[in-house]
Amino acid sequence: MGGGGDGEGSAAAAAAAAAASGQSLAEAAYTGAGKHVLLPASEVAKMTTAITQLTATVSSLQASVDRLAFAQGLDDGRQGGREEKKQRFYSFTQNAVAGGLALPLSFAVMHPVDTIKTRMQAVTTKIGGNGSFFAHARSAFQTAGMSMLQKGFLTSVAGAAPQGALRLGTYGAMQKNLDPYFDSPVFRNAIGAVVGDVASSVVKVPREVLVQRLQTGIYSSLGQAVRQILATEGPSGLFTGYVSTTLRDIPFMVVLFTSYEQFKTWKIRLTTTHHRQSDDHDSEWSDMETVLWGGISGGLAGFSTTPLDVVKTRIMTDTNRDANRKLLHHISMIVKEDGPRGLFVGAVPRAGWWFCVCSIFFACFERVRARIPGGDVQESR
């Protein structure tokens, strides 16, 4: 029995050797148990077919193993991607404190440019018109020298602190609370920007009314401005132009924050792809990158919302109690007086002003916020 088994195994080996060496099937031979055996051609053919099928089966199994390994690698990559999508969310206090310091700083630095821009857009006949930025700057210096550019400075800076705190604190809180429910970061950022702006409008609108009337020379001091407005227009006078301001600032904030956050996302992807950045969430941008991309976001938002800013300024600086303050009325009057380009009066100074303001603001905001204890890192959708 044992010898027969050995003979059969030797026959299979001889068939394989014959197929590999190119021997004719009838000449296939092997040495087994001291005997030289010739195999029939039909047996060799059967063995060759079996070996071919076995080889195909092994190749198929190997391909399956390779596919499984590849799939495992993809799964590991997706797991890594999910880890890279972890996002640092800051607390309301961190965002509010940083916003309350960064916004007044940026407004303070750029206040003279804002004064000239406001004078270009104002409704009063002495300072109205479509003169260039430099023409209005010369007019301001000739009228009152450097003091003209300082009008409303303290009011603007003081009001910007609570405005920035409410806006950024609410914006950050909305980002964090909306994250578990929405996949789109653009959508989350847009909603957060709108809600944050509406929350800060209770401070922002009175601040702008007072500052712009001081900048245009309608009132000479903050005390006089508050007394006159309350006496002639009532408390609602401090919220003159609320609707036009809101309509201007909602698209402004959406463009500003969605573009800024999108620029940050592109930077993170680039860094992760080429440098395998670690989980240091506070080093996504250098200071210079923050200044650049924050400024570009501000410039885009400022230029694109200039028409609404022109209308808002006209409404706020019109002290006629019986004046028509409807938005469409002022749009039609501007187009009638100056043509469609009248809606873009001060567009370049406004875009430049917001570029500089946002460069300063975001650089300061990111630095201060990162140094305030608190916040948490969680997986983002």
Side-chain angles (χ1 to χ4, degrees), residues 108-332:
V109 173
M110 297 305 299
H111 183 77
V113 178
D114 182 55
T115 298
I116 298 171
K117 184 271 299 180
T118 300
R119 291 171 64 85
M120 292 176 70
Q121 298 175 344
V123 71
T124 53
T125 56
K126 289 184 179 180
I127 56 178
N130 290 329
S132 69
F133 175 82
F134 295 104
H136 280 270
R138 286 194 299 270
S139 174
F141 280 116
Q142 291 171 358
T143 302
M146 284 296 295
S147 63
M148 175 60 70
L149 302 182
Q150 297 170 0
K151 286 183 176 294
F153 176 82
L154 292 178
T155 304
S156 176
V157 173
Q163 177 183 333
L166 284 172
R167 175 181 294 167
L168 274 300
T170 305
Y171 171 70
M174 292 300 298
Q175 278 186 309
K176 180 177 180 179
N177 292 330
L178 290 174
D179 182 72
Y181 305 103
F182 298 100
D183 289 329
S184 172
V186 174
F187 187 70
R188 295 195 302 267
N189 295 333
I191 293 180
V194 171
V195 176
D197 184 71
V198 172
S200 68
S201 63
V202 295
V203 176
K204 175 186 63 183
V205 175
R207 183 193 72 82
E208 289 201 21
V209 170
L210 294 170
V211 170
Q212 291 196 335
R213 294 191 182 184
L214 290 169
Q215 288 174 322
T216 55
I218 296 173
Y219 303 118
S220 59
S221 67
L222 176 61
Q224 180 193 19
V226 173
R227 288 193 300 271
Q228 288 293 323
I229 291 173
L230 293 178
T232 58
E233 304 173 52
S236 62
L238 293 172
F239 290 89
T240 298
Y242 183 90
V243 173
S244 60
T245 303
T246 302
L247 291 177
R248 175 202 66 180
D249 285 351
I250 284 179
F252 176 89
M253 291 299 162
V254 169
V255 173
L256 175 65
F257 282 102
T258 56
S259 61
Y260 178 74
E261 298 289 356
Q262 190 61 52
F263 288 145
K264 289 174 71 176
T265 301
W266 289 338
K267 167 64 179 179
I268 294 170
R269 289 173 181 169
L270 181 65
T271 304
T272 302
T273 301
H274 295 292
H275 302 292
R276 306 300 301 171
Q277 182 176 340
S278 66
D279 289 334
D280 185 359
H281 300 277
D282 294 327
S283 61
E284 294 164 359
W285 271 355
S286 67
D287 289 338
M288 287 305 300
E289 287 171 325
T290 303
V291 168
L292 174 63
W293 294 113
I296 290 175
S297 299
L300 289 172
F303 186 87
S304 62
T305 56
T306 296
L308 293 170
D309 186 56
V310 172
V311 175
K312 186 271 308 179
T313 302
R314 291 288 187 100
I315 293 173
M316 283 188 172
T317 56
D318 190 349
T319 57
N320 185 352
R321 187 173 184 178
D322 299 323
N324 188 338
R325 301 190 187 280
K326 292 183 178 180
L327 187 69
L328 293 179
H329 167 75
H330 280 272
I331 292 176
S332 64

Side-chain angles (χ1 to χ4, degrees), residues 71-91:
Q72 182 63 41
L74 288 180
D75 186 65
D76 291 342
R78 283 193 293 267
Q79 292 290 341
R82 282 194 290 270
E83 289 177 2
E84 289 176 356
K85 289 175 67 176
K86 286 184 178 180
Q87 182 175 346
R88 171 100 183 250
F89 288 103
Y90 294 88
S91 68

